[in-house]
Amino acid sequence: MPSPSESYLLDFHARLAGVTSRWFASAPVEVEGATAPSSYALLEAVVPRDERALVVLDLACGDGHLLELLAQRQQPGLALLGLDMSAHELDAARARLNGAATLIQGRAQSLPLGDASVDVVLSHLALMLMDDVETVLAELRRVLKLGGRVSIVVGGDMVPGQALEVFAGLMKPLLSAEAVPPAKLGDARVRSVEGLRTLFAEGFADVTVRSLSVQGDGSPGEVWESLLTTYDADRLSPAAQASLQAAFLQAVEPLRRSDGSVPLRWGMRQLTAIRQR
């Protein structure tokens, strides 16, 4: 039986399959003074480009966008696996990938894979949502080969002075008024640098964590549409969502640039580590 948080996530992704790649597949990322095409591209770049036989697992693969980036390499010896608990996301991934990856429905807490069978594990905006993260990490240690690599992108700190900060400030009293508690998804330790380092201290070496600023700029209406698909906003009543929309569109007017866009920044982190004994 799915937990309450998993039941909510399954419902959300049944209604909004592909929503993560919709907003982040083409969203540029500022990282360490440079710019990358997207947070997915940062994960894709972790996989070596050589002739070795490599097995790559995309954990919580969603609609398969990251796997598609890897498949486009047409790299000999690259075997792609995608696991997700959402049948709806996997249906979207099958349509996208057309057989380029092996797709499995399952949970990260019980990976249907052999010991030391995977060279690289990647995961995009998923680990911070998972129940029992220590069991998830034990499973990653089990399936990764010694010297194998894991790289994950998770949520990070709020970037001040832009639309997401405005949105969060307006939403908080609406959640209180409707007695909607904040969505309790995952383990709070995954949402901090110190917590990530603590979780990955066992069985991993060369742990690096870097901060990402992901650009989601757009018109006020476009930015509103992306923010509406955040988990807390999704749980508001239609009336509260309408009230939030009106207040948000008014509040971001001072942020509007000459081209009509408003700034939206998503704070994220990328952790990369090597499997050791």
Side-chain angles (χ1 to χ4, degrees), residues 39-49 66 69-70 73 122:
S39 46
Y40 287 101
L42 291 174
L43 292 174
E44 183 265 340
V46 170
V47 179
R49 291 178 177 268
L66 176 56
L69 292 181
L70 290 162
R73 293 183 179 187
L122 306 174

Side-chain angles (χ1 to χ4, degrees), residues 209-272:
V209 183
R210 55 183 185 170
S211 296
L212 316 178
S213 178
V214 181
Q215 178 180 315
D217 299 6
S219 70
E222 290 167 338
V223 168
W224 160 255
E225 190 177 355
S226 68
L227 292 169
L228 182 60
T229 57
T230 55
Y231 294 119
D232 279 332
D234 177 71
R235 296 161 68 237
L236 290 171
S237 69
Q241 289 178 352
S243 174
L244 178 58
Q245 179 181 13
F248 174 78
L249 294 177
Q250 181 178 10
V252 295
E253 275 303 308
L255 299 178
R256 192 195 285 258
R257 304 185 180 111
S258 59
D259 64 358
S261 68
V262 297
L264 173 62
R265 296 291 184 275
W266 302 91
M268 299 184 190
R269 295 187 179 96
Q270 182 182 14
L271 176 144
T272 301

Side-chain angles (χ1 to χ4, degrees), residues 107-162:
R107 299 173 70 247
Q109 296 83 355
S110 181
L111 295 174
L113 300 171
D115 296 356
S117 61
V118 176
D119 296 282
V120 182
V121 175
L122 306 174
S123 189
H124 186 270
L125 291 182
L127 187 67
M128 74 277 194
L129 305 175
M130 293 178 182
D131 294 341
D132 196 2
V133 69
E134 290 177 336
T135 297
V136 174
L137 294 183
E139 281 291 271
L140 295 190
R141 292 192 295 271
R142 180 181 67 81
V143 303
L144 272 169
K145 299 175 183 178
L146 288 178
R149 184 169 298 185
V150 58
S151 189
I152 62 169
V153 168
V154 295
D157 296 329
M158 177 78 72
V159 179
Q162 43 78 48

Side-chain angles (χ1 to χ4, degrees), residues 140-217:
L140 295 190
R141 292 192 295 271
R142 180 181 67 81
V143 303
L144 272 169
K145 299 175 183 178
L146 288 178
R149 184 169 298 185
V150 58
S151 189
I152 62 169
V153 168
V154 295
D157 296 329
M158 177 78 72
V159 179
Q162 43 78 48
L164 180 56
E165 186 177 39
V166 173
F167 176 82
L170 293 170
M171 182 171 57
K172 187 174 181 180
L174 291 174
L175 291 170
S176 297
E178 292 204 325
V180 177
K184 293 184 178 179
L185 302 173
D187 190 311
R189 289 175 293 177
V190 182
R191 301 175 187 272
S192 72
V193 173
E194 181 180 356
L196 283 169
R197 290 190 177 279
T198 299
L199 287 167
F200 280 83
E202 180 182 350
F204 293 98
D206 298 332
V207 179
T208 64
V209 183
R210 55 183 185 170
S211 296
L212 316 178
S213 178
V214 181
Q215 178 180 315
D217 299 6

